[in-house]
Amino acid sequence: MEKLIIYYDPRETLLINEEAFDGKLLNSTIEEGKATLEFDQLTTVRPNAFLTKEKGEPMPIGKVILPDSVTEIWADSFFVCRNIESKFMTPEKMFISNGELRVYLDRTFSCDVTIPEGVTEISYGVFENCFLKKVIFPSTLKRIGNRAFDSCKDLTSVKLPKGLLSIGDYCFTRTSLGTATIPDTVTSVGESAFADCEKLKKIKFGKNVETIGKRVLAETPKLASIEGKFATADKRALIVDGCLLAYAGGDKNEEYTVPEDVTRIEDYAFSHSGKLVRITLPSGLESIGEYAFYHTAIEELNIPESVTELAPGAFAASDITKFSGKFASADNLYLSKDGVLIQMASVRGYGKQMITFEVPADIVEIGDRAFFGNDLVENIVWHAGIKRIASKAFQSCRIKFGPELPAGLEEIDDHAFYTIWTTQFRDGVIFPASVKKIGSYFGLPSSIWFEPTVPPEWNVVKYEYRNIGTIYVPAESLEAYKEAYPMFADKITIWER
């Protein structure tokens, strides 16, 4: 029989998550602020082992005493716990078993860490959000797990050891690394491993790397040089099997010609390349990923006829004012495919002339992120043939919407009109009789009018409750609406027309 003891805030009511343990719970003794659990056998404690009974959320733990049989725990097995007693806990407050560093408890400010020799693997999230300034790795290290150093914003440099084999997903995301050199022994680098590193200027990939994950260098605005395997001769791009994964724009205004052998531009590949003003795409390009040109300074873009796939938000919040080529409209203002408006031209920044955009009659859907971050369009003129407004279609744009939506509109997806700045429907919003579905985070105003006699499916979330004032509905449907939306029953009234 194995015994585990925890100490917690006695004001809380404990809920034991039995699924977090690999052994069968035989007995539990709950005292004020202390719980003793007895298992038939116990080797593993998974995340969120203890929850608050009222909310079902992770419970902060003051202290844990583990039996010697427990060899596997995770960084979030015991929420906010800084005191774990175990034979595997080192004086440096590291839980190490079978060569794997699983938990690090000393999260003091501006700390330096030396990982002991003999450690072969750093597990998931061990140092995530830690105030690390310096890390010394052991020569025995073979693998760094997913999110191991994610959001260690004080971490400015690392020297990865020879012998390292793999770097996990999001491993060094949101750190302050200025440079990174990946040893020749590394064969795989995970998805977003060095993404969102605002100070990263140079990276070198070892000669034996075989796989590199998506978005590996996404949103690295100061990146000026990519070297090593898969890097182009000019050190400007990282290309793997015809896929351009990343671009190093640096600080200079420039134009760039994508190599002819590139068939795909990966998600975020050119994102935040604020000095890239002109680009030429290859004639054999087939697809462009999500946010591929997010926040770039390119003003005109020609889409090759070979392109068959444009991911949502590929050109969101960019400076593109003119599209040409495949999918481009006759006036060069937008891209569309099969009746879906894929992307509207955009102008970032104030002080530029804005326009009123009349949605063409052949457009039946406003696509996912079509106007995301758009500063070019000030007003929209709808037509009755629009059936759907997709997710984030008008998120974070500055369009002033009137209360009327398209007369034939049937579906509005999550975040369709959401913005952090202000309510976009300042005079209220009228949902037409055709509407069947309304997504969450609509960006709702205080006054809402419903025309449908049957209440639409509404995925409203608590965040939106405080914004909603009066809801007007057809007289014959008053009770149906109160039953459908009980959280707003006191706000629903008859629409006197």
Side-chain angles (χ1 to χ4, degrees):
M1 185 178 297
E2 311 296 346
K3 183 184 296 185
L4 181 152
I5 302 172
I6 69 161
Y7 295 87
Y8 59 94
D9 188 338
R11 294 171 296 181
E12 298 283 0
T13 303
L14 178 68
L15 176 64
I16 301 169
N17 178 15
E18 295 189 34
E19 294 182 357
F21 305 95
D22 67 335
K24 181 179 180 180
L25 181 61
L26 301 176
N27 184 48
S28 62
T29 303
I30 309 296
E31 304 172 57
E32 187 176 2
K34 178 183 177 181
T36 302
L37 311 181
E38 296 179 344
F39 297 86
D40 61 345
Q41 59 180 3
L42 184 64
T43 62
T44 301
V45 184
R46 303 183 185 91
N48 301 326
F50 302 101
L51 309 172
T52 58
K53 192 169 185 178
E54 288 77 8
K55 298 181 179 179
E57 298 175 348
M59 174 182 282
I61 301 300
K63 181 180 178 180
V64 176
I65 301 175
L66 295 174
D68 290 349
S69 60
V70 173
T71 59
E72 295 185 22
I73 61 175
W74 275 261
D76 48 1
S77 292
F78 311 109
F79 186 59
V80 195
C81 184
R82 296 291 178 263
N83 189 352
I84 298 177
E85 289 189 12
S86 166
K87 74 173 184 178
F88 298 111
M89 189 64 66
T90 71
E92 296 79 21
K93 294 191 177 295
M94 297 181 186
F95 186 97
I96 302 172
S97 66
N98 300 320
E100 188 169 357
L101 171 54
R102 290 188 165 272
V103 173
Y104 175 65
L105 296 181
D106 188 2
R107 304 217 165 217
T108 55
F109 284 86
S110 302
C111 58
D112 295 345
V113 169
T114 298
I115 299 173
E117 287 293 325
V119 169
T120 59
E121 181 172 352
I122 301 173
S123 292
Y124 178 99
V126 170
F127 296 99
E128 186 175 3
N129 288 303
C130 192
F131 296 98
L132 293 178
K133 292 186 69 177
K134 182 180 180 181
V135 180
I136 298 176
F137 295 100
S139 62
T140 51
L141 188 64
K142 301 298 181 184
R143 290 170 292 278
I144 304 178
N146 297 348
R147 299 190 183 275
F149 295 93
D150 183 3
S151 298
C152 292
K153 295 185 177 180
D154 292 340
L155 187 61
T156 57
S157 65
V158 292
K159 184 178 181 180
L160 299 174
K162 295 178 180 178
L164 185 66
L165 299 177
S166 65
I167 297 172
D169 298 343
Y170 299 89
C171 185
F172 294 102
T173 298
R174 289 179 287 273
T175 59
S176 294
L177 298 180
T179 63
T181 299
I182 298 168
D184 288 339
T185 50
V186 170
T187 58
S188 67
V189 179
E191 178 179 327
S192 299
F194 295 90
D196 204 9
C197 291
E198 295 183 353
K199 297 182 180 180
L200 188 66
K201 293 183 178 180
K202 178 181 177 180
I203 189 167
K204 182 177 181 180
F205 290 88
K207 63 184 180 181
N208 290 311
V209 64
E210 297 173 359
T211 59
I212 301 177
K214 298 191 298 183
R215 300 185 292 275
V216 64
L217 293 165
E219 300 191 90
T220 50
K222 293 187 178 180
L223 187 65
S225 177
I226 303 174
E227 300 180 12
K229 192 170 181 182
F230 300 123
T232 54
D234 60 4
K235 302 180 182 180
R236 283 304 195 204
L238 184 69
I239 301 173
V240 180
D241 296 330
C243 180
L244 193 151
L245 288 174
Y247 171 76
D251 297 324
K252 297 180 180 180
N253 289 337
E254 64 175 10
E255 58 183 67
Y256 183 70
T257 299
V258 179
E260 274 296 315
D261 59 347
V262 170
T263 58
R264 173 173 172 78
I265 295 176
E266 185 54 80
D267 301 349
Y268 290 91
F270 289 90
S271 65
H272 287 87
S273 297
K275 300 295 184 179
L276 181 62
V277 295
R278 284 179 297 276
I279 190 166
T280 301
L281 302 179
S283 58
L285 186 66
E286 297 174 0
S287 64
I288 300 175
E290 287 189 330
Y291 298 113
F293 293 91
Y294 181 68
H295 269 287
T296 60
I298 301 167
E299 294 186 0
E300 297 185 10
L301 187 66
N302 180 269
I303 309 294
E305 290 297 320
S306 55
V307 172
T308 58
E309 178 187 352
L310 280 178
F315 312 103
S318 68
D319 279 352
I320 299 174
T321 58
K322 182 179 179 181
F323 288 108
S324 60
K326 188 76 171 287
F327 308 123
S329 61
D331 59 6
N332 305 115
L333 273 179
Y334 63 90
L335 302 174
S336 67
K337 179 183 179 183
D338 300 328
V340 179
L341 196 155
I342 301 171
Q343 182 71 59
M344 185 71 192
S346 177
V347 175
R348 286 184 295 143
Y350 296 103
K352 297 182 180 180
Q353 184 177 359
M354 301 180 75
I355 67 171
T356 293
F357 180 67
E358 185 171 348
V359 182
D362 62 335
I363 296 297
V364 297
E365 177 179 329
I366 309 297
D368 188 340
R369 285 162 274 187
F371 288 79
F372 184 99
N374 193 294
D375 287 334
L376 174 62
V377 179
E378 184 176 24
N379 295 293
I380 288 280
V381 178
W382 308 108
H383 66 79
I386 298 171
K387 301 298 182 184
R388 180 186 180 209
I389 299 176
S391 175
K392 303 179 183 178
F394 294 98
Q395 181 171 327
S396 300
C397 67
R398 302 183 188 277
I399 300 173
K400 300 174 183 177
F401 294 98
E404 294 86 7
L405 290 170
L409 186 63
E410 297 178 357
E411 181 178 343
I412 305 168
D413 291 352
D414 294 344
H415 293 84
F417 294 92
Y418 181 73
T419 179
I420 62 174
W421 293 306
T422 184
T423 301
Q424 290 178 307
F425 291 86
R426 296 176 183 175
D427 299 321
V429 62
I430 301 172
F431 291 116
S434 53
V435 167
K436 300 175 182 177
K437 178 182 178 182
I438 304 169
S440 63
Y441 294 100
F442 180 89
L444 291 168
S446 59
S447 298
I448 304 171
W449 290 267
F450 281 96
E451 290 186 342
T453 54
V454 176
E457 176 187 341
W458 188 5
N459 187 28
V460 67
V461 294
K462 288 185 178 180
Y463 174 84
E464 299 175 280
Y465 288 6
R466 67 176 183 268
N467 297 326
I468 297 173
T470 306
I471 299 175
Y472 300 91
V473 303
E476 65 271 26
S477 305
L478 179 62
E479 295 306 317
Y481 272 89
K482 287 185 176 182
E483 183 177 348
Y485 314 140
M487 72 289 282
F488 300 125
D490 60 333
K491 297 182 178 183
I492 297 173
T493 187
I494 294 174
W495 186 357
E496 300 289 354
R497 289 188 282 180

XYZ file of all heavy atoms in Angstrom, residues 89-122:
270
model
N 13.610 14.245 -5.163
C 13.758 15.692 -5.165
C 15.177 16.058 -4.734
O 15.642 15.686 -3.657
C 12.741 16.328 -4.212
C 12.673 17.841 -4.293
S 12.106 18.458 -5.889
C 10.423 17.849 -5.902
N 15.898 16.790 -5.587
C 17.278 17.172 -5.311
C 17.318 18.421 -4.429
O 16.317 19.130 -4.289
C 18.030 17.466 -6.622
O 17.534 18.699 -7.172
C 17.857 16.337 -7.618
N 18.481 18.735 -3.857
C 18.608 19.974 -3.073
C 18.302 21.226 -3.900
O 17.942 22.266 -3.336
C 20.073 19.948 -2.624
C 20.442 18.502 -2.614
C 19.701 17.907 -3.764
N 18.460 21.130 -5.228
C 18.168 22.270 -6.101
C 16.681 22.340 -6.458
O 16.277 23.085 -7.347
C 18.984 22.167 -7.386
C 20.488 22.240 -7.192
C 21.077 20.912 -6.715
O 20.415 19.862 -6.915
O 22.184 20.930 -6.131
N 15.858 21.528 -5.729
C 14.408 21.496 -5.913
C 14.021 21.016 -7.324
O 13.114 21.548 -7.961
C 13.779 22.842 -5.592
C 13.906 23.235 -4.117
C 13.063 24.427 -3.780
C 13.155 24.759 -2.296
N 12.592 23.692 -1.430
N 14.735 20.026 -7.808
C 14.396 19.380 -9.074
C 13.962 17.940 -8.801
O 14.641 17.222 -8.063
C 15.610 19.368 -10.016
C 16.099 20.734 -10.414
S 17.516 20.628 -11.545
C 17.970 22.358 -11.676
N 12.854 17.554 -9.395
C 12.389 16.177 -9.290
C 12.962 15.430 -10.493
O 12.566 15.669 -11.639
C 10.856 16.131 -9.306
C 10.284 14.766 -9.068
C 9.849 14.378 -7.808
C 10.169 13.845 -10.110
C 9.305 13.119 -7.595
C 9.630 12.583 -9.903
C 9.200 12.215 -8.637
N 13.887 14.512 -10.229
C 14.578 13.783 -11.295
C 14.448 12.290 -11.027
O 14.845 11.800 -9.971
C 16.066 14.164 -11.367
C 16.223 15.673 -11.603
C 16.775 13.381 -12.469
C 17.659 16.168 -11.486
N 13.881 11.569 -11.987
C 13.800 10.113 -11.858
C 14.106 9.484 -13.207
O 13.675 9.982 -14.252
C 12.410 9.684 -11.376
O 11.430 9.974 -12.343
N 14.865 8.412 -13.170
C 15.239 7.679 -14.394
C 15.842 8.601 -15.446
O 15.602 8.457 -16.648
C 14.024 6.942 -14.971
C 13.441 5.930 -13.999
O 14.183 5.225 -13.302
N 12.118 5.862 -13.934
N 16.626 9.576 -14.992
C 17.316 10.478 -15.901
C 16.439 11.584 -16.471
O 16.900 12.376 -17.303
N 15.193 11.671 -16.029
C 14.272 12.663 -16.577
C 13.957 13.738 -15.539
O 13.484 13.450 -14.439
C 12.984 11.973 -17.023
C 12.042 12.882 -17.777
C 10.895 12.119 -18.432
O 10.878 10.864 -18.344
O 10.025 12.776 -19.024
N 14.234 14.985 -15.902
C 13.895 16.131 -15.060
C 12.430 16.472 -15.297
O 12.045 16.909 -16.383
C 14.788 17.327 -15.401
C 14.441 18.675 -14.757
C 14.356 18.562 -13.246
C 15.453 19.730 -15.166
N 11.599 16.287 -14.266
C 10.159 16.421 -14.439
C 9.577 17.684 -13.812
O 8.592 18.240 -14.322
C 9.449 15.200 -13.856
C 9.682 13.940 -14.683
C 8.826 12.797 -14.200
N 8.787 11.714 -15.186
C 7.928 11.635 -16.186
N 7.016 12.578 -16.337
N 7.960 10.633 -17.036
N 10.144 18.148 -12.722
C 9.590 19.305 -12.026
C 10.730 20.146 -11.468
O 11.741 19.615 -10.987
C 8.653 18.865 -10.874
C 8.210 20.066 -10.041
C 7.433 18.140 -11.417
N 10.560 21.465 -11.548
C 11.498 22.408 -10.940
C 10.680 23.357 -10.068
O 9.744 24.004 -10.537
C 12.249 23.182 -12.019
C 13.164 24.269 -11.476
C 14.267 23.929 -10.705
C 12.914 25.606 -11.739
C 15.109 24.911 -10.201
C 13.747 26.596 -11.258
C 14.844 26.241 -10.484
O 15.672 27.222 -9.988
N 11.029 23.457 -8.784
C 10.206 24.202 -7.844
C 10.742 25.586 -7.495
O 9.973 26.443 -7.055
C 10.047 23.405 -6.534
C 9.310 22.080 -6.621
C 9.217 21.455 -5.241
C 7.926 22.264 -7.214
N 12.017 25.832 -7.665
C 12.597 27.107 -7.244
C 12.357 28.165 -8.321
O 13.130 28.300 -9.270
C 14.093 26.940 -6.983
C 14.697 28.191 -6.353
O 13.936 29.149 -6.099
O 15.912 28.217 -6.130
N 11.304 28.957 -8.170
C 10.922 29.930 -9.193
C 11.214 31.350 -8.731
O 10.435 32.272 -8.963
C 9.465 29.765 -9.559
C 9.165 28.345 -10.015
C 8.180 28.303 -11.118
N 8.221 26.976 -11.732
C 8.079 26.761 -13.012
N 7.942 27.774 -13.831
N 8.100 25.551 -13.502
N 12.347 31.546 -8.069
C 12.732 32.874 -7.603
C 13.090 33.764 -8.786
O 13.369 33.295 -9.883
C 13.928 32.773 -6.650
O 14.984 32.076 -7.315
C 13.550 32.039 -5.381
N 13.107 35.063 -8.548
C 13.387 36.011 -9.609
C 14.853 35.939 -10.034
O 15.749 35.759 -9.216
C 13.046 37.428 -9.154
C 11.578 37.706 -9.149
C 10.802 37.391 -8.044
C 10.967 38.268 -10.256
C 9.442 37.645 -8.041
C 9.603 38.524 -10.260
C 8.848 38.217 -9.148
N 15.065 36.117 -11.341
C 16.401 36.249 -11.927
C 17.336 35.137 -11.483
O 18.468 35.375 -11.048
C 17.000 37.616 -11.575
O 16.172 38.656 -12.036
N 16.890 33.907 -11.550
C 17.706 32.793 -11.083
C 18.514 32.164 -12.221
O 18.146 32.241 -13.387
C 16.823 31.731 -10.425
S 15.536 31.069 -11.494
N 19.632 31.572 -11.868
C 20.439 30.770 -12.773
C 20.262 29.305 -12.388
O 20.116 28.978 -11.207
C 21.920 31.150 -12.680
C 22.188 32.572 -13.139
O 21.301 33.153 -13.783
O 23.271 33.096 -12.836
N 20.289 28.435 -13.376
C 20.040 27.019 -13.124
C 21.130 26.173 -13.753
O 21.492 26.379 -14.921
C 18.664 26.587 -13.686
C 18.526 25.080 -13.672
C 17.546 27.216 -12.889
N 21.636 25.233 -12.994
C 22.544 24.208 -13.515
C 21.837 22.861 -13.406
O 21.502 22.409 -12.311
C 23.860 24.169 -12.723
O 24.532 25.430 -12.843
C 24.773 23.070 -13.265
N 21.596 22.242 -14.538
C 20.923 20.945 -14.557
C 21.977 19.855 -14.359
O 22.989 19.833 -15.075
C 20.162 20.754 -15.881
C 19.084 21.851 -16.020
C 19.513 19.372 -15.942
C 18.389 21.861 -17.352
N 21.787 18.958 -13.396
C 22.829 17.987 -13.041
C 23.199 17.046 -14.190
O 22.368 16.720 -15.051
C 22.204 17.209 -11.886
C 21.110 18.082 -11.359
C 20.602 18.841 -12.542
N 24.455 16.616 -14.198
C 24.898 15.565 -15.107
C 24.094 14.293 -14.824
O 23.736 14.007 -13.683
C 26.387 15.291 -14.919
C 27.289 16.368 -15.478
C 27.237 16.445 -16.995
O 27.088 15.391 -17.645
O 27.311 17.567 -17.537
N 23.819 13.565 -15.877
C 23.019 12.351 -15.759
C 21.604 12.546 -16.259
O 20.931 11.571 -16.632
N 21.152 13.792 -16.286
C 19.822 14.071 -16.823
C 19.855 13.910 -18.339
O 20.674 14.521 -19.027
C 19.342 15.486 -16.448
C 18.078 15.860 -17.224
C 19.087 15.576 -14.947
N 18.969 13.087 -18.871
C 18.910 12.847 -20.319
C 17.718 13.522 -20.986
O 17.699 13.701 -22.200
C 18.841 11.336 -20.619
O 17.678 10.785 -19.983
C 20.093 10.631 -20.110
N 16.711 13.909 -20.180
C 15.511 14.508 -20.760
C 14.919 15.548 -19.820
O 14.866 15.353 -18.606
C 14.476 13.431 -21.066
C 13.209 13.971 -21.705
C 12.278 12.874 -22.188
O 12.697 11.692 -22.151
O 11.147 13.194 -22.597
N 14.476 16.672 -20.392
C 13.728 17.692 -19.660
C 12.278 17.577 -20.108
O 11.971 17.708 -21.285
C 14.274 19.097 -19.948
C 15.747 19.189 -19.545
C 13.462 20.151 -19.198
C 16.416 20.485 -19.956
